[in-house]
Amino acid sequence: MRISIFAVGRMKQGPERELVARYLGRAAASGKALGLTGFAVTELAESRASSTMARRSDEARALRDIVSGSRALIALDERGTVMGSAEFAARLGRWRDDGAETAGFVIGGADGLDPAFVKEANLSLSFSPLTWPHQLVRIMLAEQLYRATTILSGHPYHRE
């Protein structure tokens, strides 16, 4: 199963981008034996519309154009389901085992994701009810994807 991250907004060069790349590189290396590939980030430009609703709508339209196809679609949203790392890994493994070709993780821009887009997702996932900058969400997602590959490969997980 291919792992794809779709993020509204561009991350500048610097330590945040390097950290995402480091975790995704680790995930790709450990995920290969598990049938998990890709671990790539696609960035979309933020909308320049004048209102929050219009920006969310524009960004949702752009996201729909690139996330279509056979996949598990996961929207990262502060109002989504909160789960632990082991449960997240199990869910990822289940999608893979059920034949999903791609798991697409979507990170909204400064205004978040369009609520209608979130409803279309297979899962709305929250890292916390707190609001996080999209750069930090990318880092946290990349780390959790790496952690999921280690859990799925049977590496001892220190929280069990």
Side-chain angles (χ1 to χ4, degrees), residues 105-119:
F105 293 85
V106 181
I107 301 169
D111 296 312
L113 291 169
D114 182 341
F117 182 86
V118 173
K119 287 181 183 177

Side-chain angles (χ1 to χ4, degrees), residues 127-140:
F127 287 148
S128 161
L130 298 170
T131 301
W132 295 98
H134 62 90
Q135 296 92 337
L136 288 179
V137 171
R138 264 196 238 187
I139 293 168
M140 293 188 298

Side-chain angles (χ1 to χ4, degrees), residues 39-158:
F39 296 96
V41 178
T42 301
E43 296 179 326
L44 287 82
E46 291 178 288
S47 170
R48 298 208 181 274
S50 60
S51 74
T52 298
M53 286 178 48
R55 283 190 298 275
R56 284 180 177 175
S57 180
D58 286 353
E59 291 165 359
R61 192 170 21 269
L63 285 164
R64 282 184 190 99
D65 288 344
I66 64 169
V67 301
S68 63
S70 169
R71 69 177 73 238
L73 185 62
I74 304 93
L76 278 83
D77 185 85
E78 65 198 40
R79 292 166 296 281
T81 301
V82 176
M83 60 179 66
S85 296
E87 184 181 354
F88 176 74
R91 181 81 59 107
L92 197 62
R94 218 171 17 258
W95 286 321
R96 177 202 58 199
D97 296 346
D98 288 346
E101 293 175 19
T102 303
F105 293 85
V106 181
I107 301 169
D111 296 312
L113 291 169
D114 182 341
F117 182 86
V118 173
K119 287 181 183 177
E120 296 167 19
N122 299 92
L123 173 67
S124 174
L125 178 64
S126 173
F127 287 148
S128 161
L130 298 170
T131 301
W132 295 98
H134 62 90
Q135 296 92 337
L136 288 179
V137 171
R138 264 196 238 187
I139 293 168
M140 293 188 298
L141 175 59
E143 193 280 336
Q144 284 302 303
L145 288 168
Y146 167 60
R147 186 176 300 271
T149 63
T150 62
I151 291 170
L152 290 172
S153 68
H155 189 276
Y157 181 54
H158 73 282

Side-chain angles (χ1 to χ4, degrees), residues 4-27:
S4 298
I5 299 171
F6 303 100
V8 176
R10 306 215 186 273
M11 190 177 262
K12 295 178 182 166
Q13 293 298 325
E16 296 89 353
R17 183 177 283 279
E18 292 169 14
L19 197 52
V20 169
R22 183 180 314 149
Y23 280 123
L24 292 180
R26 289 178 181 176

